[in-house]
Amino acid sequence: MILGCGTCMTVCNAGGEREVSLLHSALRLAQSRDGGEIHSFQEYTVKRQCDFEFLEVLVDRVKEKEERGPSPPPPLSGEGRVDAILSLGCGVGVQTVAERFPDTPVLPGVNTSFMGASKEWGVWDERCAACGDCRLAETAGICPITRCVKGILNGPCAGAKNGKCEANKDMDCAWALIYKRLERLGQLEKMRRYYPPRNFRTIPRPRRLVSKSEVPGGSHG
Amino acid sequence: MAKSLFDEKLNSGKFLVTTEIGPPKGTDVSEMIHHIELLGDKVDALNVTDHQSSVMRFPSLGGCLLIKEHGGEPILQMTTRDRNRLALQADLLLAYSRGIRNVLCLTGDSLDVGDHKEAKPVFDLDSVQLIRMIRTMESGKDLGGNDLKGKPEFCIGASVHPAADFIEPQLIKFEKKVAAGAEFFQTQGIFDLDTIRRFMQYARQFNVKILAGVIVLASARMARYMNDNVPGIIVPQETIDELASVEKGKALQKGIEIAAHLIKTIKEENLCHGVHIMAVGRESIVPDILEAAGLLTKENKK
Ligand code: SF4
Ligand code: SF4
């Protein structure tokens, strides 16, 4: 089963319904070129792969043993049980699907790279690494963790030339941007302040967030 | 009491000369020992570079130990690129216990410019945080707040980039390094006197010693390459033209002349507290530069 995701992955053209169908054709083509119809494919796109609730619709399609229940399953478009799920979700989606279907191999269909902003059509820039200790209030809304190659907190290294980063001439030096924006906002004193070493344990890895507010009808964890 | 021989000289008012040695890529240290013996008594201190330009080599700490063995005053270059706070502190404990008392605190070049581009960048700390970490250790605590059994004491240096094309943020960082406790600075390469004059007009208000970084260029091609590929180096067009103007095979000689002239003028006009000579892989020409700059005494002309 080639499994798409209807949220972020659709928006960034990496794993929505359209990509699922393209990949499906490509796989079928490759298979027939190599001779032999060994695998049969089915496609499906859930609303969101990172949420168990949205994976329930897959139960009858994947047909893991324990899910078949006492009565025979309803007729399906695909034949029998799913041998493997090729997930076009991000890394979070792949893992959520894997957790939901313990007896089915789940394979990643994309290399999840980063959380980005869509700069222009077809261009995404990384903006946040979800570091758990947000600096944006001090850095004029420009993230030094993701946008500076070194992720340093106390100002620029000596490597920038023409405002570009030493590691990549196409990328702006984050600290040059931060300086200019702080200056414009009249907040340069924020850059003069000393920032101590980062706390890499703001949320210990692997990270879990437990909501402290009461969710009506919901459970914690 | 002075923390090291170099610390003593820093406060003596003498015009200081330091240079640096690049360790080998491999276990054969014979050439490095030769360079240590050649330069050890001709300069006030010898830096050992720490995987300069993110190119993996024999460690800076190992080079400093060899300087202790073979004569000379080492400055341990230490970047935060490859080691987290545990490893950095451990190296400092080892360095101190073996008589290495000067540290140059750097963030380090990005891995993208080196020969292990796929490695995991560390940068647990930045250069300012590294300086503060050492000052914390000197108070008898490690960075986790635990007591140290025996505390180190270092003469701390840092770098500054007076020739940067966007200078204001660099100066903010410089001031943070001063506030953190840096005692001396080796500047990134400087090629014209105006840059150092301008910078010193500003920097004299701080109680730190400034050594102007002097890079020896071996050819116009090398200068252009550095402009394109080496972080922190901006060679002005005039210097490139000057190197290109001499006949083939004479460019290195010209490069030595340019460097020597720069050093001589800095000293004569008392522009800053000293110089740091970077011969980038040509350590053996440093005596020629010193000679041409009039910095060799009778005893060490050998
Ligand atoms: S500092 Fe950067 S990486 Fe961290 S939370 Fe804020 S935007 Fe995200
Ligand atoms: S050039 Fe700027 S963005 Fe690049 S590593 Fe240095 S400070 Fe960070």
Side-chain angles (χ1 to χ4, degrees):
Chain A
M1 171 185 280
I2 306 166
L3 184 62
C5 175
T7 311
C8 315
M9 300 307 283
T10 299
V11 177
C12 59
N13 306 331
E17 213 163 320
R18 201 174 128 253
E19 291 73 34
V20 167
S21 136
L22 286 174
L23 183 61
H24 187 178
S25 319
L27 285 173
R28 267 214 311 255
L29 214 71
Q31 184 163 267
S32 65
R33 198 190 47 208
D34 296 346
E37 280 279 315
I38 313 149
H39 304 295
S40 67
F41 300 103
Q42 56 170 301
E43 38 180 281
Y44 197 80
T45 296
V46 293
K47 206 163 191 171
R48 252 211 302 289
Q49 287 192 19
C50 59
D51 204 326
F52 288 118
E53 204 182 304
F54 292 105
L55 301 181
E56 284 312 302
V57 297
L58 295 174
V59 169
D60 289 339
R61 295 165 189 277
V62 176
K63 291 199 285 188
E64 284 195 332
K65 270 193 246 82
E66 69 271 36
E67 303 288 349
R68 289 182 193 168
S71 55
L76 296 164
S77 53
E79 284 280 313
R81 127 156 239 231
V82 164
D83 295 312
I85 299 172
L86 178 57
S87 161
L88 295 192
C90 70
V92 182
V94 176
Q95 294 183 62
T96 311
V97 174
E99 201 173 324
R100 181 63 191 82
F101 298 105
D103 296 322
T104 310
V106 180
L107 309 166
V110 297
N111 287 318
T112 305
S113 306
F114 55 81
M115 281 168 262
S118 159
K119 194 176 166 63
E120 57 193 76
W121 181 243
V123 179
W124 288 270
D125 276 346
E126 184 178 20
R127 286 294 181 259
C128 176
C131 76
D133 181 17
C134 195
R135 304 282 167 166
L136 293 176
E138 298 137 11
T139 55
I142 294 160
C143 171
I145 308 296
T146 49
R147 296 175 71 181
C148 164
V149 172
K150 298 174 189 173
I152 50 180
L153 300 181
N154 283 294
C157 73
K161 288 178 191 174
N162 300 318
K164 299 295 176 190
C165 174
E166 70 174 35
N168 182 344
K169 286 172 194 145
D170 295 328
M171 286 294 173
D172 293 325
C173 166
W175 277 103
L177 297 178
I178 292 170
Y179 178 90
K180 284 182 196 149
R181 202 167 139 78
L182 282 174
E183 184 182 40
R184 196 179 163 134
L185 297 173
Q187 297 183 349
L188 275 178
E189 82 284 352
K190 288 187 174 169
M191 194 159 157
R192 296 184 185 278
R193 228 178 271 161
Y194 169 69
Y195 297 102
R198 277 171 68 186
N199 174 2
F200 285 90
R201 223 170 163 268
T202 49
I203 308 175
R205 282 182 185 272
R207 301 183 282 191
R208 164 177 287 179
L209 197 71
V210 182
S211 166
K212 299 223 169 61
S213 61
E214 285 297 326
V215 182
S219 66
H220 288 193
Chain B
M1 212 188 75
K3 291 179 276 193
S4 68
L5 218 61
F6 182 63
D7 184 34
E8 199 177 314
K9 288 183 175 172
L10 270 183
N11 294 300
S12 69
K14 168 183 188 298
F15 186 78
L16 296 159
V17 182
T18 61
T19 188
E20 61 189 36
I21 289 182
K25 198 179 194 57
T27 55
D28 180 357
V29 293
S30 54
E31 199 186 348
M32 178 164 50
I33 291 174
H34 168 72
H35 290 149
I36 292 169
E37 286 172 342
L38 177 72
L39 300 171
D41 61 348
K42 296 188 178 62
V43 293
D44 298 306
L46 281 175
N47 285 233
V48 185
T49 54
D50 181 10
H51 310 301
Q52 194 169 40
S53 297
S54 306
V55 171
M56 192 289 294
R57 286 172 181 277
F58 189 87
S60 171
L61 189 49
C64 288
L65 291 173
L66 285 173
I67 294 175
K68 289 302 286 185
E69 264 171 51
H70 292 266
E73 172 75 352
I75 297 179
L76 175 69
Q77 290 200 0
M78 185 170 247
T79 73
T80 63
R81 179 192 51 229
D82 312 310
R83 282 156 295 177
N84 70 6
R85 57 194 91 173
L86 275 78
L88 291 168
Q89 290 178 100
D91 278 3
L92 286 162
L93 295 179
L94 169 57
Y96 183 81
S97 76
R98 306 303 301 270
I100 297 162
R101 301 291 155 86
N102 313 298
V103 191
L104 189 82
C105 297
L106 307 165
T107 299
D109 291 332
S110 111
L111 285 163
D112 302 70
V113 304
D115 68 351
H116 284 64
K117 296 189 200 319
E118 295 175 2
K120 178 178 187 179
V122 178
F123 300 114
D124 186 18
L125 308 181
D126 60 31
S127 51
V128 184
Q129 294 161 345
L130 176 59
I131 297 169
R132 288 207 183 242
M133 184 187 82
I134 297 175
R135 292 302 183 221
T136 303
M137 292 172 78
E138 290 176 344
S139 76
K141 298 271 187 202
D142 69 11
L143 211 54
N146 311 294
D147 288 335
L148 293 176
K149 187 173 168 192
K151 54 189 187 192
E153 198 180 17
F154 289 103
C155 175
I156 301 181
S159 78
V160 61
H161 190 10
D165 53 10
F166 187 19
I167 190 74
E168 292 85 354
Q170 297 294 334
L171 299 184
I172 289 180
K173 185 117 182 221
F174 168 76
E175 288 179 32
K176 283 174 131 174
K177 290 176 181 177
V178 174
E183 296 158 76
F184 71 97
F185 283 82
Q186 293 174 182
T187 77
Q188 301 278 343
I190 280 175
F191 297 92
D192 68 303
L193 292 159
D194 278 347
T195 304
I196 190 74
R197 271 194 203 104
R198 214 176 319 117
F199 176 68
M200 287 309 293
Q201 258 172 26
Y202 150 85
R204 286 218 187 260
Q205 59 181 305
F206 303 99
N207 183 26
V208 291
K209 303 287 186 270
I210 310 284
L211 313 188
V214 176
I215 296 177
V216 193
L217 297 165
S219 66
R221 202 169 59 104
M222 172 184 175
R224 280 188 217 104
Y225 176 84
M226 287 186 138
N227 273 351
D228 287 343
N229 299 292
V230 182
I233 297 183
I234 302 175
V235 187
Q237 190 56 43
E238 300 87 83
T239 310
I240 299 178
D241 293 344
E242 208 177 335
L243 285 164
S245 70
V246 296
E247 58 184 287
K248 232 177 154 194
K250 295 270 170 63
L252 178 59
Q253 195 46 45
K254 188 77 202 168
I256 294 175
E257 265 170 42
I258 296 175
H261 175 74
L262 205 60
I263 295 168
K264 217 171 164 176
T265 319
I266 289 172
K267 183 173 186 220
E268 278 168 11
E269 297 187 16
N270 198 13
L271 290 181
C272 60
H273 308 99
V275 288
H276 173 66
I277 303 168
M278 295 173 265
V280 227
R282 290 192 176 77
E283 286 88 344
S284 57
I285 61 167
V286 174
D288 301 336
I289 300 164
L290 295 172
E291 168 95 70
L295 285 173
L296 284 190
T297 58
K298 265 207 197 83
E299 304 89 74
N300 57 29
K301 270 189 201 178
K302 52 178 185 199

